[in-house]
Amino acid sequence: MYILLGSLFLALPWSDRVSVSWLDHLFTAASAVSTTGLVTVDPGTTYTWFGQWIVLILFQLGGLGYMTTSSFVVLAAKNSWSDERRSILASAFSLPRGIGLTHLVRNIVVFSLISEMLGTLFLYPVFRAEGVEHPLWSAFFHSVSAFCTAGFSLFPSSLEPFRDQMLINMVLTVLSYAGGIGFIVFTDLWSKIKNHDRRITFTSKVIVFVTLITSLGGVIGIFFLEPSIQGLPMKEKFLVALFQAMSASTTVGFNSVPMTSLSLPVIMILYFLMFFGASPAGTGGGLKSTTLTALLGEAWSHLRGYETVCMFGRRIPDSRVRAASMSATTYGMILGMGIFLTAVAMPRADFEWLVFECISAIGTVGMSMGLTGELNAPAKVIMIGLMYIGRLGVITFGLLFVTPTFNETAKNTDLAV
């Protein structure tokens, strides 16, 4: 409903500057609600200030989550929730033990607003100094877009004009990691600060560790393997490598260099980072870092002959491992079908570009090799479907067609998948 209503608002006469088809409005709305950032039209030049506001509201709702937003409103009005709402929220967030649901929802909204306002304050003077038109609006739009890992930009070439601007790169990087790492970690850390004797949950440790390792690996790979940046000054080369690795791993989808210039090894690095994506209970997409951990733990334990799955000295319950395996299998199957259908719709497209586009769509990343603007109508519909499924979650989507036969509660550890 958010996508449909958003497309109708974007189709209003005072929302756009040029004539745009309703399918393109629908594509933009789906991309915004799913916090993907893939666009078939340039938001900065296509939409008026009102239309840009609609896009911002859509990816703000998508970033926070419609259940989180509505639950915060209900909580503020009634100071309580129904049992059904509590059950849905607990399932949606995959909460580990030790994290209170009411506390988490309040923290999500407060933390989001504070982060976005601070990002705006830091970006405004830099955009103004760089001569950006309407610097305050641009600062606010890009701050919210970064924190929600939406990847929408008012600049036709994303952040390419600012690839050597240290402050812009760092502010957007911090905002994107803040959203992509997930609210569980920050709620956990805040509780630890207030209660010094409280232990950090296993889920938070896993999220931080996996995010650090994957991001570091991406930075090193891009820094040394990408030929198009080897001639840049060392600082600029590092900023590009950091920004693109961050953009893929948090699924924010900004780019500071032309994606079409990237070499095949770097494209494959981005495939991996986009596929697994960010962390649970955050604004990012992808298969999730905790799912990667559970899968690696399963492989490692079985290779060593263990009957139980262990990771970092902790036992991962069978129900969590099954959930990770089911999620990865379903995710891969839907992605494969999306790639095949897109290839049928666009048989002349370069295969690596087509794969990149589909991974970006289902992972709600938003980085593009330039194929999005060339999509025909059937391919646009397929991409809308992938973005929708990616935001909804492959398990949630799969449950539309089957009835679960088991409901096992994990009691052995607090890892959220």
Side-chain angles (χ1 to χ4, degrees), residues 161-200:
F162 309 102
R163 73 180 184 188
D164 60 343
Q165 226 302 333
M166 175 71 76
L167 186 57
I168 291 178
N169 278 262
M170 289 299 100
V171 170
L172 295 179
T173 295
V174 170
L175 286 171
S176 300
Y177 273 122
I181 284 176
F183 303 110
I184 289 177
V185 173
F186 291 100
T187 296
D188 202 9
L189 291 176
W190 180 247
S191 298
K192 173 66 176 177
I193 292 172
K194 291 196 301 182
N195 305 308
H196 297 288
D197 57 338
R198 188 182 186 279
R199 297 179 63 184
I200 300 295

Side-chain angles (χ1 to χ4, degrees), residues 133 166 171 193 209 276 296 320 341 358 385 389 401 411:
E133 187 178 8
M166 175 71 76
V171 170
I193 292 172
F209 177 78
F276 286 102
L296 291 176
R320 295 296 192 186
L341 292 176
C358 290
I389 294 170
F401 306 101
K411 296 181 179 179

Side-chain angles (χ1 to χ4, degrees), residues 248-361:
S249 61
T250 64
T251 73
V252 66
F254 289 130
N255 62 279
S256 59
V257 291
M259 302 302 294
T260 54
S261 67
L262 298 180
S263 63
L264 186 57
V266 170
I267 290 174
M268 294 182 70
I269 291 173
L270 296 181
Y271 281 168
F272 174 83
L273 294 176
M274 293 192 299
F275 185 87
F276 286 102
S279 302
T283 61
L287 196 56
K288 305 301 183 184
S289 58
T290 47
T291 301
L292 172 61
T293 304
L295 293 174
L296 291 176
E298 181 181 25
W300 177 254
S301 297
H302 289 326
L303 284 172
R304 301 192 69 182
Y306 297 155
E307 293 184 2
T308 59
V309 176
C310 298
M311 198 68 175
F312 304 118
R314 300 288 295 273
R315 181 181 182 274
I316 301 178
D318 293 341
S319 60
R320 295 296 192 186
V321 176
R322 285 198 299 269
S325 299
M326 179 173 60
S327 180
T329 302
T330 309
Y331 194 90
M333 290 174 61
I334 294 174
L335 173 61
M337 183 59 67
I339 293 172
F340 174 76
L341 292 176
T342 308
V344 171
M346 301 189 67
R348 302 292 182 182
D350 290 336
F351 183 70
E352 63 265 25
W353 288 24
L354 190 147
V355 173
F356 193 96
E357 215 79 9
C358 290
I359 295 177
S360 183

Side-chain angles (χ1 to χ4, degrees), residues 102-121:
T102 302
H103 187 51
L104 178 67
V105 170
R106 284 200 180 104
N107 283 355
I108 286 175
V109 176
V110 173
F111 179 69
S112 300
L113 295 178
I114 291 175
S115 298
E116 291 164 0
M117 291 303 104
L118 287 175
T120 302
L121 290 176

